[in-house]
Amino acid sequence: MDAGSLNSSSYLKAQSRFPLQEQFLHRKNSKDNLDRFIPNRSAMDLDYAHYMLTQGRKGGKENPAATVNSPSRETYRKQLAEALNLNRTRILAFKNKPPTPVELIPQDHLSSSLHYQAKPTKPRRYIPQTSERTLDAPDLVDDFYLNLLDWGSKNVLAIALENTVYLWDASNGSTSELVTVADEDGPVTSVNWAPDGLHLAIGLNNSNVQLWDSASCKQLRTLRGCHRSRVGSMAWNNHILTTGGMDAKIINNDVRIRSHIVETYRGHQQEVCGLKWSASRQEFGNGGNDNIIHIWDRSVASSNSATQWFHRLEEHTSAVKALAWCPFQGNLLASGGGGGDRSIKFWNTHTGACLNSIDTGSQVCALLWNKNERELLSSHGFTQNQLVLWKYPSMLKMAELTGHTSRVLYMAQSPDGCTVATAAGDETLRFWNVFGVPEVAKAAPKANPEPFSRFNRIR
């Protein structure tokens, strides 16, 4: 900024701060001031002014004889002046004297009412900046398009490390091996718990899907013929297991029946890498390596056309793996784009409208909503490999968590919604207390006692 602009800005500030002073500085002579002074005649006493100008001021040097009066005349004059309020020295008044302000509401009453009406400020939640626990995850496949981590409703975490699926019990910290698949079938490309937290679906590189009972460590069945290549994404809807494959197809499998393929969805040209059912269980969203998101309505698809999507969303510019349905707004879906996109977008799945888009600056690998607060957690890859906690809908950064040295590809949330597990290409599994402990629900008020409960009933 040059000196001239600085001088002009200081001049404007001075003009705004002292407007009356600036006005008088520009007047060179009296001719420039053309405003007439119009007195407030209601505040004048013209009769008293005329008397004082003609009779009341005749004494002094101009009329020294007038100062010689008899004592009786002087006493009479003083009494007359007091009676007629003539002892004033001010003749002209520019404005009326403002009335004394009346306090309509006492300050003590006002402050007490405001004290009761003010809402107590909610203390800011402490968010630990480091993981509370770190476990080794050797041979974890570093592949953006896979889904190798899931946390079941029975508080057991499943993680796939190359050809082996391990179970980690969060209640006691114990680890067990569920299955190791053959080299010609592996590696494991996806894992997903059924809603009961007991049955686990395992997607394989050979296009098959295995169903396991975690309690007995027994395989229940193998779903074959769903896809022609690896199964990288899965999602349960009660007894329906939806699978997405590298062959760009999406299959609904009814695991109760022998012919398990009940619906087939076609709309992608490349691998399906993200797949999530909504809370209503009537629609699901999926993302692909072709940068496209589809919203499917099962009631429409099952009736006649399984190839007709409900919405086709094409605003991402890179692969879409990260999808998360909002827990407090059923028609809100969050999605994250890959390294060429780096954005988080929010969609109204009823209308297909993009509500907001935020550039995160890094590859978005996974998204999780806080079940107890209006917050969204994102995990990132190139270039910072961090976790970011966002406040929704302002999308202000509440915390940025670092610790992983490679892209954070996989995220899972504990059943209570407080802890988040992350697995990264650095072959570590970390646990973060990022969502905090939910507030204790208030106890239900006791029901009012029934009237006359002390008296015996008349039957």
Side-chain angles (χ1 to χ4, degrees):
M1 185 178 292
D2 57 4
S5 60
L6 283 173
N7 293 335
S8 62
S9 63
S10 60
Y11 167 75
L12 292 175
K13 289 181 180 178
Q15 190 178 31
S16 61
R17 291 176 59 187
F18 307 101
L20 294 178
Q21 182 180 357
E22 189 67 27
Q23 182 180 356
F24 285 110
L25 289 175
H26 284 85
R27 290 183 178 168
K28 302 296 184 180
N29 51 52
S30 60
K31 291 183 180 181
D32 293 336
N33 187 6
L34 302 180
D35 291 336
R36 288 188 303 120
F37 168 71
I38 302 176
N40 188 355
R41 296 183 182 275
S42 63
M44 297 180 184
D45 191 342
L46 298 181
D47 292 337
Y48 172 72
H50 181 266
Y51 167 77
M52 291 299 294
L53 292 174
T54 58
Q55 301 294 332
R57 304 293 185 184
K58 286 185 178 180
K61 296 180 180 180
E62 298 294 328
N63 190 13
T67 60
V68 181
N69 291 324
S70 63
S72 60
R73 178 181 291 274
E74 184 66 20
T75 301
Y76 174 75
R77 188 190 65 79
K78 290 181 179 180
Q79 292 180 353
L80 182 62
E82 292 178 359
L84 298 179
N85 196 19
L86 299 179
N87 292 327
R88 296 176 295 176
T89 59
R90 186 179 182 187
I91 299 177
L92 301 177
F94 293 111
K95 62 182 180 179
N96 292 325
K97 185 178 180 180
T100 303
V102 179
E103 189 177 18
L104 300 179
I105 303 177
Q107 289 295 325
D108 54 351
H109 177 72
L110 182 61
S111 61
S112 62
S113 63
L114 291 177
H115 175 73
Y116 287 111
Q117 292 178 1
K119 295 182 178 179
T121 58
K122 187 176 181 180
R124 186 174 181 179
R125 188 178 81 249
Y126 170 70
I127 303 173
Q129 298 298 303
T130 58
S131 57
E132 63 179 9
R133 180 179 298 193
T134 301
L135 303 178
D136 288 331
D139 300 323
L140 180 72
V141 179
D142 187 0
D143 193 325
F144 176 83
Y145 301 99
L146 306 185
N147 293 273
L148 304 180
L149 186 69
D150 196 27
W151 206 328
S153 60
K154 297 298 183 181
N155 208 16
V156 177
L157 187 77
I159 183 170
L161 302 180
E162 201 170 32
N163 289 1
T164 304
V165 176
Y166 293 92
L167 304 181
W168 183 80
D169 192 334
S171 60
N172 55 27
S174 62
T175 303
S176 60
E177 178 183 328
L178 180 64
V179 59
T180 298
V181 299
D183 290 338
E184 58 269 20
D185 298 331
V188 176
T189 52
S190 57
V191 293
N192 196 248
W193 283 103
D196 60 8
L198 296 175
H199 297 91
L200 183 69
I202 300 174
L204 300 176
N205 191 58
N206 67 352
S207 77
N208 292 337
V209 176
Q210 295 181 359
L211 301 182
W212 282 78
D213 184 343
S214 63
S216 61
C217 293
K218 292 183 178 180
Q219 182 178 352
L220 301 178
R221 66 179 301 184
T222 299
L223 306 180
R224 294 182 174 87
C226 305
H227 302 277
R228 296 190 302 271
S229 55
R230 70 180 184 182
V231 181
S233 57
M234 297 185 296
W236 285 91
N237 182 359
N238 295 323
H239 56 273
I240 298 295
L241 176 63
T242 305
T243 58
M246 197 175 186
D247 58 1
K249 291 194 303 182
I250 301 170
I251 305 293
N252 275 352
N253 301 273
D254 190 336
V255 299
R256 303 171 301 176
I257 58 179
R258 180 180 294 274
S259 301
H260 50 85
I261 300 177
V262 291
E263 281 117 19
T264 301
Y265 302 86
R266 295 181 178 88
H268 289 278
Q269 300 299 319
Q270 297 186 39
E271 181 172 12
V272 177
C273 49
L275 191 58
K276 297 289 182 181
W277 277 94
S278 68
S280 67
R281 304 300 179 184
Q282 291 300 314
E283 57 183 353
F284 68 90
N286 74 279
N289 193 34
D290 52 7
N291 314 340
I292 295 173
I293 299 173
H294 284 119
I295 307 297
W296 308 87
D297 189 325
R298 189 178 181 227
S299 61
V300 175
S302 60
S303 60
N304 51 9
S305 176
T307 62
Q308 184 59 46
W309 52 81
F310 189 54
H311 290 297
R312 182 181 174 94
L313 312 175
E314 303 180 358
E315 294 191 25
H316 279 290
T317 58
S318 188
V320 183
K321 172 193 174 186
L323 295 173
W325 290 90
C326 179
F328 53 83
Q329 186 174 337
N331 63 326
L332 178 62
L333 177 68
S335 63
D341 183 281
R342 304 181 303 276
S343 71
I344 299 175
K345 299 184 186 296
F346 298 91
W347 309 90
N348 182 336
T349 58
H350 289 176
T351 63
C354 183
L355 305 177
N356 195 9
S357 180
I358 301 296
D359 185 1
T360 67
S362 299
Q363 177 188 46
V364 183
C365 301
L367 294 171
L368 285 176
W369 287 95
N370 188 342
K371 297 178 180 179
N372 306 305
E373 301 286 345
R374 293 176 180 261
E375 299 167 358
L376 180 70
L377 181 68
S378 58
S379 73
H380 298 271
F382 308 119
T383 57
Q384 301 183 40
N385 309 318
Q386 83 280 35
L387 304 178
V388 179
L389 182 63
W390 309 84
K391 187 68 177 178
Y392 183 83
S394 64
M395 293 305 288
L396 296 176
K397 284 186 180 181
M398 299 181 61
E400 193 164 349
L401 311 178
T402 58
H404 284 292
T405 59
S406 182
R407 52 183 182 171
V408 189
L409 294 172
Y410 317 111
M411 276 204 307
Q413 191 173 11
S414 62
D416 61 4
C418 300
T419 306
V420 172
T422 58
D426 58 9
E427 298 186 340
T428 63
L429 176 64
R430 295 175 182 262
F431 296 85
W432 311 80
N433 189 17
V434 62
F435 288 148
V437 179
E439 295 182 2
V440 179
K442 295 181 179 180
K446 295 182 180 180
N448 294 327
E450 185 179 352
F452 310 110
S453 59
R454 295 185 294 107
F455 299 97
N456 294 329
R457 294 179 180 271
I458 300 175
R459 298 184 180 179

